[in-house]
C-alpha cells in the first residue's frame, strides 16, 4: 500500500503542470456548462416542440419557426423595435464621447463631477425606468409640461402613445448607457499620448481636425468596447420595457427579449416551445456580434504570441 | 492633453467653464433630483398637482419611515443582501481559479475554453430562461435565494474569467517560474504567489459583481416570486402596485433600493472604474 501511494504521488508530481489547470478549471466549467452551455442547447431542442412547461413535449419540427416567420405581427413589431434599439442605442457612443471631452479638464472638484455624471449607470434599470415613467407622465409629467410650453402635445403622453413609446424607452436607456461610454472614453483620453498631441498642435491641428485625425485613432480600443457593450445592451433591453410599459400600449414597445418572456411565462398559458424559438432567433442575431468580438480578440491573441 | 487644458485659455473661458459644470450636471441628473424631491414631499402635494414644485412641507422621516416600517421593503433589502454577497464570493472564487488556469498554463483547448466563457457571458438571457427555470424547479430551488445565487455564480463566471485571465496575463511570469524552480507546489503558487498579486482585480470584480447582481431584475422575476425570496429590484415593482400612485413612497423606496450600489461605487470608485474599462486602454 505504502509503495502504491508513493507511486501515485510521484505520478501526480510528474504530471503536476499538466494536471493543475484542469483541477482549477473543473468547478468553473461544471457550473458554466450546467447553467449556460447546456441550457443553450436545450433551448434549441425545446424550440422544436410544443410544450406548456409541465407536461409532455410534443415534437412539431419547424412549426414554431414557420409560425414565427410566417406573419406573426407581434414578432414583426418586436423585430423592428429591436432594430430601432440597435441603431438609436449607438447614439450613446458619440454622446459619451462628447461628455467625456467636456469633463476632461483638471479643475477643482472635477473628480466629483465625473463620478456624479456616472451615477445613472450605477443605479438599477428598474429604478431608472420608474423615474423616467414619472418624468413622462401624461399632463403632469415634467416632460409633458416642458414640451407643452413649446406647443407640442403628444396624446396619451410619450409612453401612452404607440408612435412614441419605444423612443421614450430608448431615451431612458440611453441615459445610463451614455454614462458608461463616457467613463470608457475618459479612461481612454487619460492614455492619449501627450507628445503626439503637442506635435499635432505645432503642425496647426486643433478642434475637430485634431479630434478626428489624432485623438480618435488613439481611442480605438475604447470605441471598440463601447460598441460591444452598447450593442449587447441594446439587444438585452428588457428591464426598461417591463417596468415602463410592460410591452404596451397595444404591444407597440415589445422587443424580442420581452416577447419571448411574455410567450413563455404569460398569464394565458406557458408556450415554452414558441418562446424558445423566439430566443433562438435573438441568439443568432446576438451571435453575429459575439462572433465579431471573438474574432477580433483572436487576432489580438495571435498578435500577442 | 485633449481638449486644450482650460487653464491655458482666457480667464473668462475658465470662469465660464466652472459655471457651466454645475448647470450641466443638474440637467444631466434632473430625473434623479426630481425623485429625491418627490421622496420628501407630502402626499397632499400630489393630489394638489404640485408635482414639480418645491415641497409644501418636508416629510423625509415620515415617508422613509413608512417605507421601512409599513412595507415589505426591509425584507426585500435583506433578500438582496443574502443574494448578492454569496454570489460575489462564489463568482470571484471560481473565476480566480479558472482565470489562473487559463492565464498561467499552456495546454490544448486553452483558448477554446476561454472563448467559451466569453461567448457565454454575452448570450441573451432569454435563451437560458426556460431551461434554467426548469433546472431550478427540478432541484427544488425555485423561489429560493439559493437557486438565484447558484445561477448568478455560474453566469458571472463568464465575465469574471475574462477579467481574471487578462489580469493574470499581465503579472510578471518570472515570479511563477522562480517559485517553480524552488519546488513550490502549483496550488501553493496560486495561493501564495498569484492570489496576493490579484488583490486589485479581486476588489474590482467584487464591486462590479455586487452592482450587477444587486441591480438584476430579469432573473429575479424568472426564478423567484414574493417577498420571501425576491430582491429589492423585483420588490420595488410590486411595491408599485401596493402603493399605486403614491409617488412619495415609491420615490423613497426607489432611493433606498438604489443606495447600496451607489455607496459601493463611491467607496470603491477607483476599482469600479478599473473593472469597467478593462481593455479600453491599450
Amino acid at each position: 500500500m505504502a509503495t502504491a501511494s508513493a507511486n501515485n504521488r510521484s505520478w501526480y508530481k510528474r504530471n503536476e503542470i499538466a494536471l493543475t489547470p484542469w483541477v482549477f478549471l473543473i468547478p468553473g466549467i461544471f457550473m458554466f456548462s450546467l447553467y449556460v452551455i447546456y441550457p443553450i442547447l436545450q433551448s434549441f431542442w425545446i424550440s422544436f416542440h410544443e410544450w406548456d412547461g409541465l407536461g409532455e413535449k410534443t415534437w412539431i419540427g419547424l412549426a414554431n419557426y414557420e409560425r414565427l416567420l410566417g406573419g406573426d405581427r407581434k414578432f414583426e413589431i418586436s423585430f423592428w423595435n429591436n432594430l430601432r434599439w440597435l441603431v438609436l442605442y449607438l447614439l450613446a457612443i458619440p454622446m459619451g464621447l462628447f461628455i467625456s471631452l467636456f469633463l476632461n479638464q483638471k479643475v477643482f472638484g472635477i473628480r466629483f463631477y465625473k463620478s456624479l455624471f456616472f451615477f445613472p449607470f450605477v443605479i438599477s434599470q428598474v429604478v431608472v425606468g420608474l423615474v423616467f415613467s414619472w418624468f413622462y407622465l401624461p399632463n403632469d409629467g415634467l416632460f409633458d409640461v416642458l414640451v407643452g410650453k413649446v406647443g407640442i402635445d403628444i396624446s396619451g403622453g410619450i409612453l401612452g402613445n404607440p408612435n412614441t413609446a419605444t423612443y421614450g424607452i430608448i431615451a431612458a436607456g440611453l441615459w445610463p448607457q451614455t454614462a458608461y461610454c463616457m467613463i470608457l472614453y475618459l479612461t481612454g483620453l487619460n492614455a492619449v499620448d501627450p507628445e503626439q498631441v503637442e506635435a499635432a498642435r505645432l503642425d496647426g491641428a486643433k478642434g475637430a481636425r485634431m479630434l478626428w485625425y489624432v485623438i480618435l485613432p488613439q481611442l480605438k480600443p475604447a470605441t471598440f468596447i463601447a460598441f460591444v457593450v452598447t450593442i449587447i445592451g441594446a439587444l438585452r433591453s428588457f428591464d426598461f420595457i417591463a417596468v415602463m410599459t410592460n410591452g404596451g400600449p397595444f404591444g407597440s414597445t415589445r422587443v424580442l427579449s420581452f416577447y419571448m418572456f411574455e410567450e413563455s411565462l404569460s398569464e394565458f398559458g406557458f408556450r415554452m416551445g414558441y418562446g424558445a424559438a423566439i430566443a433562438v432567433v435573438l441568439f443568432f442575431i446576438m451571435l453575429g456580434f459575439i462572433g465579431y468580438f471573438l474574432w477580433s480578440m483572436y487576432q489580438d491573441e495571435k498578435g500577442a504570441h | 492633453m485633449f481638449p486644450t487644458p482650460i487653464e491655458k485659455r482666457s480667464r473668462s473661458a475658465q470662469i465660464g467653464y466652472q459655471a457651466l459644470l454645475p448647470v450641466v450636471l443638474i440637467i444631466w441628473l434632473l430625473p434623479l433630483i426630481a425623485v429625491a424631491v418627490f421622496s420628501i414631499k407630502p402626499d397632499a402635494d400630489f393630489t394638489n398637482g404640485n408635482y414639480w414644485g418645491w415641497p409644501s412641507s418636508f416629510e423625509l422621516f415620515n415617508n422613509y419611515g413608512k417605507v421601512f416600517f409599513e412595507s415589505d421593503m426591509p425584507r426585500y433589502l435583506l433578500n438582496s443582501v443574502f443574494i448578492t454577497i454569496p454570489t460575489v464570493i462564489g463568482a470571484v472564487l471560481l473565476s480566480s481559479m479558472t482565470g489562473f488556469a487559463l492565464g498561467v498554463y499552456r495546454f490544448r483547448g486553452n483558448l477554446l475554453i476561454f472563448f467559451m466563457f466569453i461567448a457565454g457571458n454575452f448570450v441573451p438571457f432569454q435563451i437560458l430562461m426556460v431551461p434554467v427555470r426548469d433546472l431550478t424547479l427540478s432541484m427544488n430551488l425555485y423561489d429560493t435565494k439559493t437557486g438565484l445565487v447558484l445561477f448568478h455564480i455560474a453566469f458571472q463566471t463568464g465575465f469574471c474569467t475574462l477579467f481574471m485571465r487578462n489580469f493574470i496575463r499581465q503579472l510578471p511570469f518570472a515570479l511563477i517560474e522562480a517559485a517553480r524552480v524552488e519546488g513550490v507546489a502549483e496550488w501553493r503558487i496560486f495561493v501564495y504567489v498569484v492570489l496576493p498579486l490579484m488583490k486589485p482585480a479581486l476588489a474590482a470584480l467584487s464591486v462590479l459583481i455586487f452592482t450587477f447582481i444587486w441591480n438584476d431584475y430579469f432573473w429575479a422575476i424568472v426564478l423567484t416570486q414574493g417577498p420571501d425570496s425576491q430582491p429589492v429590484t423585483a420588490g420595488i415593482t410590486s411595491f408599485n402596485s401596493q402603493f399605486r400612485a403614491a409617488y412619495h413612497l415609491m420615490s423613497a423606496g426607489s432611493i433606498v433600493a438604489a443606495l447600496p450600489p451607489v455607496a459601493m461605487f463611491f467607496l470603491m470608485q477607483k476599482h469600479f472604474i478599473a473593472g469597467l474599462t478593462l481593455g479600453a486602454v491599450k
Side-chain angles (χ1 to χ4, degrees), chain A residues 16 32 35 43 51 102 104-105 117 119 122 124 134 140 142 175 187 191 225 232 236 293 301 305, chain B residues 1-2 6 17 28 52 106 121-123 126-127 134 139 154 165 186 215 247 266 277-278 281-282:
Chain A
E16 193 181 5
F32 206 69
Y35 273 106
S43 274
W51 187 37
F102 175 66
N104 193 35
Q105 295 289 353
F117 266 87
F119 236 76
V122 185
S124 159
W134 297 330
D140 299 320
L142 196 55
W175 193 42
T187 317
I225 302 220
I232 286 168
R236 272 195 183 158
F293 180 50
E301 288 293 324
H305 284 297
Chain B
M1 191 179 144
F2 184 84
I6 201 84
Y17 181 74
W28 179 244
W52 307 99
R106 285 183 155 215
N121 161 58
F122 287 132
V123 140
Q126 280 68 18
I127 193 124
D134 240 32
M139 293 195 295
R165 183 263 191 192
E186 295 295 313
N215 290 340
Y247 294 111
F266 269 102
T277 51
L278 159 93
V281 196
K282 259 193 192 142

Side-chain angles (χ1 to χ4, degrees), chain A residues 221-264:
Chain A
T223 307
F224 178 70
I225 302 220
F227 181 73
V228 171
V229 294
T230 304
I231 292 281
I232 286 168
L235 287 174
R236 272 195 183 158
S237 55
F238 172 89
D239 298 4
F240 286 112
I241 296 156
V243 170
M244 292 174 77
T245 58
N246 208 13
F250 316 113
S252 62
T253 53
R254 278 195 191 96
V255 292
L256 290 177
S257 65
F258 186 81
Y259 183 34
M260 184 276 163
F261 175 81
E262 220 181 21
E263 282 292 318
S264 309

Side-chain angles (χ1 to χ4, degrees), chain A residues 40-109:
Chain A
I40 295 177
L41 303 174
Q42 274 179 309
S43 274
F44 275 89
W45 178 244
I46 293 168
S47 74
F48 297 123
H49 293 82
E50 199 175 291
W51 187 37
D52 62 2
L54 297 166
E56 287 294 299
K57 299 185 185 74
T58 322
W59 175 268
I60 52 167
L62 288 172
N64 280 329
Y65 292 96
E66 279 162 17
R67 209 182 110 201
L68 203 60
L69 304 171
D72 176 348
R73 274 294 289 153
K74 293 177 185 171
F75 175 76
E76 283 164 19
I77 292 173
S78 311
F79 183 79
W80 286 112
N81 276 339
N82 263 113
L83 276 186
R84 284 191 187 106
W85 271 89
L86 269 181
V87 174
L88 291 175
Y89 225 48
L90 288 175
L91 286 176
I93 298 176
M95 279 163 37
L97 175 65
F98 182 77
I99 299 182
S100 72
L101 289 174
F102 175 66
L103 289 178
N104 193 35
Q105 295 289 353
K106 288 187 183 115
V107 297
F108 177 73

Side-chain angles (χ1 to χ4, degrees), chain B residues 62-81:
Chain B
N62 224 333
N63 290 348
Y64 284 87
K66 277 215 180 82
V67 166
F68 272 106
F69 298 111
E70 286 169 39
S71 77
D72 281 328
M73 205 61 185
R75 283 172 81 182
Y76 287 122
L77 277 171
L78 217 56
N79 288 342
S80 273
V81 172

Side-chain angles (χ1 to χ4, degrees), chain B residues 44-211:
Chain B
D45 274 7
F46 294 93
T47 42
N48 297 335
N50 175 20
Y51 275 83
W52 307 99
W54 199 244
S56 63
S57 65
F58 291 95
E59 303 291 336
L60 177 84
F61 293 106
N62 224 333
N63 290 348
Y64 284 87
K66 277 215 180 82
V67 166
F68 272 106
F69 298 111
E70 286 169 39
S71 77
D72 281 328
M73 205 61 185
R75 283 172 81 182
Y76 287 122
L77 277 171
L78 217 56
N79 288 342
S80 273
V81 172
F82 287 129
I83 291 164
T84 310
I85 303 288
T87 304
V88 169
I89 296 171
V92 167
L93 195 74
L94 269 190
S95 61
S96 42
M97 286 164 60
T98 49
F100 172 70
L102 294 172
V104 169
Y105 300 90
R106 285 183 155 215
F107 56 91
R108 273 175 71 107
N110 182 318
L111 214 54
L112 197 73
I113 295 174
F114 181 49
F115 279 11
M116 173 193 86
F117 280 118
I118 302 175
N121 161 58
F122 287 132
V123 140
F125 293 148
Q126 280 68 18
I127 193 124
L128 311 177
M129 187 187 104
V130 173
V132 166
R133 189 174 175 276
D134 240 32
L135 178 70
T136 309
L137 274 168
S138 69
M139 293 195 295
N140 269 328
L141 291 174
Y142 180 76
D143 198 21
T144 64
K145 288 177 273 257
T146 318
L148 207 49
V149 166
L150 283 178
F151 169 76
H152 279 319
I153 290 179
F155 189 80
Q156 293 302 331
T157 305
F159 170 75
C160 298
T161 300
L162 162 69
F163 186 96
M164 289 291 192
R165 183 263 191 192
N166 286 350
F167 188 88
I168 290 173
R169 270 284 160 108
Q170 291 167 4
L171 296 178
F173 196 72
L175 279 174
I176 295 169
E177 296 275 75
R180 273 187 191 151
V181 172
E182 299 264 318
V184 179
E186 295 295 313
W187 70 269
R188 280 175 174 273
I189 294 181
F190 173 68
V191 177
Y192 295 109
V193 179
V194 175
L195 266 188
L197 293 172
M198 288 204 311
K199 269 183 201 147
L202 298 174
L205 269 184
S206 305
V207 238
L208 271 187
I209 301 301
F210 181 92
T211 315

Side-chain angles (χ1 to χ4, degrees), chain A residues 99 103 109-123 175 179 182-183 186, chain B residues 21-22 24-26 28-29 32-33 262 265-266 269 273:
Chain A
I99 299 182
L103 289 178
I110 195 73
R111 273 192 48 160
F112 181 70
Y113 280 108
K114 285 178 185 169
S115 42
L116 282 178
F117 266 87
F118 190 57
F119 236 76
F121 183 79
V122 185
I123 293 169
W175 193 42
M182 174 203 81
I183 282 287
L186 274 175
Chain B
L21 272 176
V24 178
L25 179 72
I26 287 173
W28 179 244
L29 292 182
L32 266 179
I33 296 168
V262 167
F265 168 67
F266 269 102
Q269 213 186 113
I273 288 169

